[in-house]
Amino acid sequence: MRQIDIFDTTLRDGEQSPGVALNPAEKVQIARQLAKLGVNIIEAGFPISSPGDFEAVKQIAEEVRQVSVCALARTQAKDIERAWEAISKAESPRIHTFIATSPIHMRYKLKKSPEEVLEQAVAGVKLAKSKVSDIEFSAEDASRSDVDFLGRIFSSAIKAGATVLNIPDTVGYATPEEFAKFIYEVMERTEGIEKVKVSVHCHNDLGLAVANSLAAVQAGIHQLEGAINGIGERAGNAAIEELAMALNTRRDQYQVQTSINSKEIARTSQMVSRLTGMMIQPNKAIVGKNAFAHESGIHQDGVLKERSTYEIISPDSIGLDMDTIVLGKHSGRHAVRDRLTELGLEVDEKRLDEVFKEFKLLAERKKEVTSADLYSLVDTHTHDVPEITLDYLQVSSGTQIVPTSTLGLNYQDQRYDDAACGDGPVDAAYKAIDKILGIDHKLLRYALQAIDGGEDAQGEVTVSVQFDEHTVGGRGVSTDIIEASVKAYLQAVNRAFERGWISFKIGGI
Ligand SMILES: [Zn+2]
């Protein structure tokens, strides 16, 4: 059976989603999980774009094994040099270089003639080839490009050393039948096409990213690009979990296989959602909360008698059976460590100490500590730089009083206190934080949901906050929703601080 490589761009295109800002430690954590999921290539970032991106790609290349690690670069020499610097230590490194080929992009964005674009593409691929053997070349906005020109530029890219040719539907404009025909025509016009792999990268502006990708599979391509939960620029990329499960469930139609271990899908999806702060819509295919929920009496009756009456895939097959063991306040350090290992959360002794301490605190407030809770405990410990943390919090609110919050923040062993009034207790707490730090913010989005069922469930708050021109997300978890709200805001503040988007005016920082 034909093998389809899965190229994951959660950490590059996905990370370009508005409001998403992952630090290097979080990216490494996701990359490890992607390797477990069985993707073939991880596009770890765009090294020239920022020092943080460079550092994350470098760490992933050095630490994540048994998977190809790829870095993005325009065709300029400085981009390619920087990409190579970041991935040179990878087990199997790949450079992904791109240039736009559509008339509209060449004329308005690049201000170059087709001949100049072709020349630059060849120069870029050649330079990359002098560093590494595995080169992917992308013709940006391919689906709106001239098919003859694409054939020419791809033929030249192969001669220059490209091993994978990518045909992106950058703006999500294609439709399935048309896209399949287009790919077929490009391949026909490309000299040496039998020597390379062909890839597609589809965006979801018309909700067709997965459909277009599957049409491309039927046209004979070898690699699919996408992101977990379909995150990415604008409406996002093709969702990897949907591609994998469609190819798997309908193998009779597609006659191809992938190396995805579907049992890791739920875990990967939840990790990406938690760390990016991008919630999954309940009715999202495969990984939404309702994807396996049966509401109507007739459906429930059918599923009880025979699951396959209304279920085409089983929850087990994507790894949704992980919540069978529950820990409580009598569970010891060993039990917690064993459970973490089972969940694939590797922690060293020092981290385990911290996580165990928080576990005990949580178990005091909550009867059962679920795997979702454990994930949230481990995730909050992924920062290496000094952070601002919450020391204590008091709020008073009600129907006849002005909501007021008093709180203390810790930064590098010092405590700073202040109080503020607001429109509600959360607003009051955020204003008190702003007063202490001497910053100003605009809250773009605030969402609260329960982490799992039960009356004592932890509340999970995700926020999207704007500091000047930068937008950053944050997430906080607690059995107390005001505390969760404060933690979410502080995470956004810490992320913005780490990136130099804000500075504090306390204690001479
Ligand atoms: Zn893209």
Side-chain angles (χ1 to χ4, degrees):
M1 219 177 261
R2 182 157 58 104
Q3 174 79 23
I4 299 288
D5 289 346
I6 300 293
F7 176 107
D8 181 283
T9 186
T10 306
L11 297 173
R12 202 277 300 164
D13 208 320
E15 217 245 351
Q16 282 169 232
S17 308
V20 173
L22 297 165
N23 67 26
E26 290 165 331
K27 287 187 183 174
V28 171
Q29 198 186 345
I30 291 174
R32 285 216 170 93
Q33 181 57 34
L34 289 170
K36 250 184 227 156
L37 175 66
V39 306
N40 304 88
I41 302 103
I42 294 174
E43 184 164 55
F46 190 6
I48 193 92
S49 68
S50 73
D53 231 31
F54 174 84
E55 195 43 49
V57 176
K58 190 160 169 278
Q59 275 188 35
I60 290 168
E62 285 168 8
E63 293 173 32
V64 185
R65 304 275 109 180
Q66 273 150 15
V67 64
S68 171
V69 177
C70 171
L72 185 68
R74 287 165 300 187
T75 47
Q76 280 97 313
K78 63 179 194 304
D79 280 44
I80 292 167
E81 299 284 355
R82 193 81 173 137
W84 173 239
E85 222 183 300
I87 55 160
S88 56
K89 301 243 172 68
E91 197 170 292
S92 39
R94 173 184 292 185
I95 292 177
H96 176 194
T97 185
F98 72 99
I99 191 162
T101 52
S102 65
I104 195 165
H105 276 229
M106 291 192 289
R107 186 179 321 138
Y108 296 106
K109 192 181 78 174
L110 300 176
K111 299 186 172 38
K112 283 189 193 312
S113 71
E115 292 317 310
E116 287 171 310
V117 166
L118 195 143
E119 227 170 79
Q120 206 174 309
V122 168
V125 173
K126 274 191 176 151
L127 176 62
K129 196 70 179 182
S130 70
K131 318 268 179 204
V132 63
S133 64
D134 193 11
I135 313 289
E136 175 165 336
F137 171 70
S138 276
E140 192 191 3
D141 205 17
S143 55
R144 292 192 299 171
S145 302
D146 175 68
V147 70
D148 290 316
F149 181 56
L150 269 186
R152 272 179 60 213
I153 200 166
F154 278 165
S155 305
S156 307
I158 294 172
K159 275 200 206 98
T163 46
V164 180
L165 298 176
N166 186 32
I167 305 177
D169 182 26
T170 306
V171 291
Y173 184 69
T175 61
E177 300 76 14
E178 164 203 53
F179 195 47
K181 189 166 158 271
F182 182 75
I183 287 163
Y184 193 76
E185 287 175 358
V186 173
M187 286 166 73
E188 248 185 6
R189 285 163 172 75
T190 304
E191 238 175 275
I193 192 78
E194 66 290 344
K195 291 186 276 191
V196 298
K197 290 184 174 178
V198 179
S199 168
V200 295
H201 173 106
C202 297
H203 275 272
N204 208 28
D205 298 70
L206 293 174
L208 293 173
V210 170
N212 286 335
S213 302
L214 295 177
V217 168
Q218 285 181 314
I221 56 113
H222 317 87
Q223 175 181 288
L224 286 175
E225 304 196 1
I228 301 296
N229 300 337
I231 64 173
E233 282 279 3
R234 308 182 310 280
N237 285 272
I240 292 220
E241 66 279 7
E242 294 178 24
L243 294 172
M245 290 314 284
L247 293 178
N248 187 336
T249 311
R250 297 310 308 274
R251 195 164 284 163
D252 58 321
Q253 284 291 308
Y254 296 103
Q255 300 288 327
V256 295
Q257 60 188 14
T258 71
S259 57
I260 294 291
N261 172 8
S262 67
K263 291 226 174 234
E264 293 291 335
I265 284 180
R267 205 168 281 167
T268 315
S269 161
Q270 286 160 18
M271 180 186 287
V272 169
S273 170
R274 279 196 312 274
L275 295 179
T276 57
M278 286 190 77
M279 285 200 296
I280 303 165
Q281 75 197 61
N283 60 322
K284 165 86 177 57
I286 317 295
V287 293
K289 271 209 166 83
N290 295 350
F292 298 97
H294 303 278
E295 186 68 23
S296 105
I298 294 171
H299 288 214
Q300 287 175 350
D301 180 56
V303 169
L304 286 173
K305 286 176 177 150
E306 166 57 44
R307 291 201 87 97
S308 62
T309 49
Y310 288 99
E311 265 182 21
I312 58 161
I313 50 180
S314 73
D316 296 2
S317 66
I318 63 156
L320 271 178
D321 50 350
M322 58 190 187
D323 225 354
T324 45
I325 299 164
V326 163
L327 300 170
K329 68 176 174 189
H330 300 297
S331 307
R333 200 166 174 277
H334 267 296
V336 171
R337 185 177 48 202
D338 289 352
R339 189 67 188 131
L340 289 176
T341 311
E342 270 169 38
L343 294 173
L345 300 167
E346 292 150 45
V347 291
D348 57 27
E349 290 297 313
K350 189 172 152 274
R351 278 275 291 288
L352 181 63
D353 284 341
E354 294 167 353
V355 171
F356 186 63
K357 220 163 89 191
E358 301 228 348
F359 165 82
K360 279 293 182 191
L361 290 173
L362 178 61
E364 286 296 321
R365 297 160 83 172
K366 190 171 184 290
K367 247 194 342 262
E368 296 183 332
V369 179
T370 63
S371 42
D373 292 326
L374 286 179
Y375 277 119
S376 73
L377 288 183
V378 173
D379 285 350
T380 52
H381 281 274
T382 51
H383 300 267
D384 325 315
V385 292
E387 295 209 305
I388 292 160
T389 55
L390 180 67
D391 187 80
Y392 70 90
L393 165 72
Q394 281 173 3
V395 284
S396 58
S397 72
T399 51
Q400 302 288 335
I401 60 164
V402 177
T404 312
S405 167
T406 307
L407 54 80
L409 300 179
N410 292 321
Y411 183 74
Q412 295 189 323
D413 302 325
Q414 283 266 22
R415 200 179 81 197
Y416 305 89
D417 313 80
D418 216 323
C421 303
D423 294 333
V426 173
D427 184 49
Y430 286 11
K431 285 196 170 121
I433 293 171
D434 285 1
K435 259 170 95 177
I436 294 173
L437 301 176
I439 58 173
D440 210 2
H441 79 277
K442 193 171 154 201
L443 186 63
L444 301 178
R445 186 171 58 83
Y446 173 96
L448 165 69
Q449 64 173 5
I451 247 188
D452 48 29
E455 279 183 2
D456 62 353
Q458 294 202 89
E460 175 187 53
V461 171
T462 50
V463 293
S464 181
V465 187
Q466 194 180 331
F467 298 105
D468 295 326
E469 77 270 33
H470 297 289
T471 302
V472 61
R475 178 182 159 279
V477 175
S478 170
T479 50
D480 179 295
I481 59 169
I482 311 289
E483 189 185 335
S485 307
V486 167
K487 283 181 168 173
Y489 181 50
L490 284 179
Q491 189 179 63
V493 167
N494 281 314
R495 284 174 167 173
F497 179 52
E498 200 180 335
R499 284 164 183 76
W501 294 343
I502 52 172
S503 51
F504 306 141
K505 292 163 192 75
I506 55 165
I509 312 166

